[in-house]
Amino acid sequence: MAWVIDRQSLAIGLISGATLTLILKLWLDRDNDKQQKELGYVDGVDGLIGNTPLMRIKSLSEATGCTILGKAEFLNPGGSAKDRVALNIIRSAEQAGILKPHTGSTVFEGTVGSTGISIAMIARARGHKAWIVMPDDQAQEKYQLLEKLGATVEKVRPVSIIDKKQFVNLAKTRAEDFGQGETRGYFANQFENDANYQMHYETTAPEIYQQIGSKMDALVLGAGTGGTLSGLALYLKPRIHKLKVFLADPMGSGLFNKVKYNVMYAPQEREGTRKRHQVDTVVEGIGINRLTNNFNMGRHLVDDAFRVTDEEAVKMARYLVREDGLFLGSSSAVNCVAAVRAARQMGPGHVIVTLLNDSGQRHLTKFWSDDYLEAAGIPYKLKDSEGLDDFM
């Protein structure tokens, strides 16, 4: 007996089948989510990201008479706040149909380390590969971590953003030249990708608001891509009208002058003064000499800026180990210096919130290396008798 199926019947059958499959998937996902909540577990590495605690930094709070709180982003599974951004960038590309798991597709990014580590971790967890382009003068443990996570690591000489071989530009080129068919090369583009600031708007900021609410008087943090600052400011300022937002900026970065005087310029850019590259500092992860899309999204909400020297950051990190047992990376130390400045400016009794982006574990061969700092001429020794007033 011959079966004859007209086109209309076939179309109805296909649509019905697809609809039933989608309904079943949604039902199973809902059931899985319910089971996770009931049993108290999360689903894979993705589920470990976010919901980090807000801690009172005792020594800084007692020294200033303010409550200085640090959001412990170093407790994310990849060790930094960049886990949030990497997850949203990759997930957004999957939802757009650009990345498909287990096809050999590769996520490319130009980074000084932390974002690359997060991308490498999350890409692996979601069935993709990672190719990370980095300046060749970063802390050695960052390269090692990336390689252990299975990423391809390409080191390049630090050059200006206008150079085609600058690490971000080169990552974009590598992505464009990579793959065919289902095997795609995807440029994460953390500096310009809206998924960056949106993730902080959707997760980090609501967490802070739930943790401290309207008691918060000031938000203090540095900016590299600017995504964290913009995402937090855009969410928190409309809800806390008294909130002041302060930028913490390292040496060599032009953002300080952009916020203060609307001029993108750093003193280290004077002719004959630049030593290494665009942002000449021992601090990694924050500071930049161009305006990114992510920074611009929230720039109008930044009230003031503090310039932080390498010596202040280095000694703050050592002070926090001595007084609190808190072992932080360079950008976190910059944030803490600026948080103290904000506390002194505002006076006792205020609540200051900052981010503790990563720990000192990925800064051992540079920011935490006495030999490196000695060679760079950066004072790093902190006497037992020295307090905050002695170095800042």
Side-chain angles (χ1 to χ4, degrees):
M1 178 179 179
W3 290 87
V4 180
I5 303 176
D6 60 40
R7 291 183 179 179
Q8 184 178 7
S9 299
L10 180 60
I12 292 171
L14 289 172
I15 293 170
S16 299
T19 302
L20 287 171
T21 301
L22 179 60
I23 291 171
L24 180 61
K25 184 180 186 303
L26 291 172
W27 178 266
L28 290 173
D29 287 346
R30 188 190 71 168
D31 192 54
N32 190 40
D33 290 342
K34 182 180 178 182
Q35 185 182 30
Q36 289 176 34
K37 290 177 181 177
E38 289 175 351
L39 296 178
Y41 66 83
V42 298
D43 191 21
V45 167
D46 294 4
L48 297 172
I49 297 171
N51 295 309
T52 55
L54 195 62
M55 64 166 289
R56 177 176 174 267
I57 305 176
K58 294 180 181 180
S59 65
L60 304 186
S61 298
E62 291 169 2
T64 60
C66 289
T67 300
I68 296 182
L69 305 174
K71 189 158 175 62
E73 289 293 284
F74 59 83
L75 293 178
N76 281 300
S80 81
K82 295 297 186 180
D83 285 1
R84 299 178 187 262
V85 175
L87 174 60
N88 203 34
I89 286 175
I90 292 174
R91 188 168 56 194
S92 297
E94 290 172 345
Q95 291 169 350
I98 299 169
L99 290 175
K100 294 181 180 180
H102 310 296
T103 60
S105 292
T106 300
V107 183
F108 290 79
E109 183 59 302
T111 168
V112 294
S114 289
T115 303
I117 291 166
S118 297
I119 285 175
M121 176 188 74
I122 295 163
R124 278 289 177 185
R126 299 180 74 93
H128 311 296
K129 297 180 179 179
W131 185 309
I132 307 301
V133 185
M134 293 177 64
D136 63 8
D137 62 347
Q138 302 301 292
Q140 291 302 308
E141 49 270 33
K142 292 185 179 181
Y143 307 121
Q144 293 166 357
L145 276 169
L146 283 163
E147 289 166 353
K148 297 301 181 185
L149 285 166
T152 298
V153 182
E154 184 174 358
K155 303 175 189 177
V156 297
R157 183 174 59 88
V159 292
S160 169
I161 188 66
I162 62 173
D163 193 312
K164 291 181 180 180
K165 293 184 179 180
Q166 192 264 359
F167 64 99
V168 176
N169 296 335
L170 189 57
K172 182 180 179 182
T173 300
R174 294 280 187 261
E176 291 171 345
D177 294 342
F178 182 85
Q180 58 184 8
E182 282 197 329
T183 302
R184 302 279 189 89
Y186 177 66
F187 176 45
N189 199 16
Q190 61 168 324
F191 289 90
E192 311 300 331
N193 196 326
D194 286 347
N196 184 338
Y197 86 87
Q198 288 171 351
M199 188 60 164
H200 290 295
Y201 183 91
E202 294 168 1
T203 66
T204 321
E207 288 172 26
I208 292 173
Y209 191 68
Q210 185 178 25
Q211 288 165 330
I212 191 64
S214 59
K215 296 177 182 177
M216 180 178 173
D217 296 299
L219 173 69
V220 183
L221 68 161
T225 66
T228 311
L229 184 146
S230 289
L232 298 188
L234 285 166
Y235 183 93
L236 294 170
K237 268 232 169 180
R239 291 166 173 80
I240 309 172
H241 298 298
K242 64 177 179 178
L243 184 68
K244 297 292 184 184
V245 177
F246 296 96
L247 170 74
D249 211 33
M251 301 299 293
S253 173
L255 295 180
F256 171 82
N257 281 327
K258 187 63 180 177
V259 170
K260 296 282 283 187
Y261 312 112
N262 200 29
V263 176
M264 196 72 179
Y265 173 77
Q268 288 74 18
E269 291 186 289
R270 289 196 305 270
E271 185 175 354
T273 63
R274 185 176 293 174
K275 297 176 183 177
R276 287 195 304 122
H277 53 83
Q278 193 173 13
V279 179
D280 191 24
T281 175
V282 71
V283 174
E284 296 179 352
I286 59 173
I288 195 169
N289 275 322
R290 70 181 193 276
L291 290 177
T292 67
N293 171 61
N294 276 283
F295 184 78
N296 270 333
M297 293 302 298
R299 180 162 63 99
H300 62 288
L301 297 174
V302 181
D303 295 289
D304 203 353
F306 298 112
R307 171 82 76 201
V308 178
T309 68
D310 283 350
E311 180 180 355
E312 288 173 328
V314 165
K315 289 190 173 180
M316 173 60 79
R318 284 147 180 78
Y319 177 84
L320 290 170
V321 166
R322 189 186 77 189
E323 299 297 323
D324 300 274
L326 197 55
F327 185 48
L328 298 176
S330 56
S331 64
S332 302
V334 169
N335 285 349
C336 287
V337 170
V340 169
R341 292 250 181 85
R344 288 173 174 173
Q345 184 181 108
M346 299 182 78
H350 290 89
V351 177
I352 317 292
V353 173
T354 191
L355 263 64
L356 308 179
N357 301 312
D358 64 0
S359 80
Q361 294 176 7
R362 59 182 58 170
H363 297 267
L364 296 174
T365 57
K366 192 173 178 182
F367 184 74
W368 275 98
S369 167
D370 291 354
D371 290 340
Y372 180 92
L373 296 173
E374 188 84 41
I378 300 170
Y380 62 90
K381 293 180 181 178
L382 186 69
K383 298 177 182 177
D384 290 341
S385 59
E386 282 188 90
L388 291 177
D389 291 336
D390 294 309
F391 64 84
M392 61 167 293

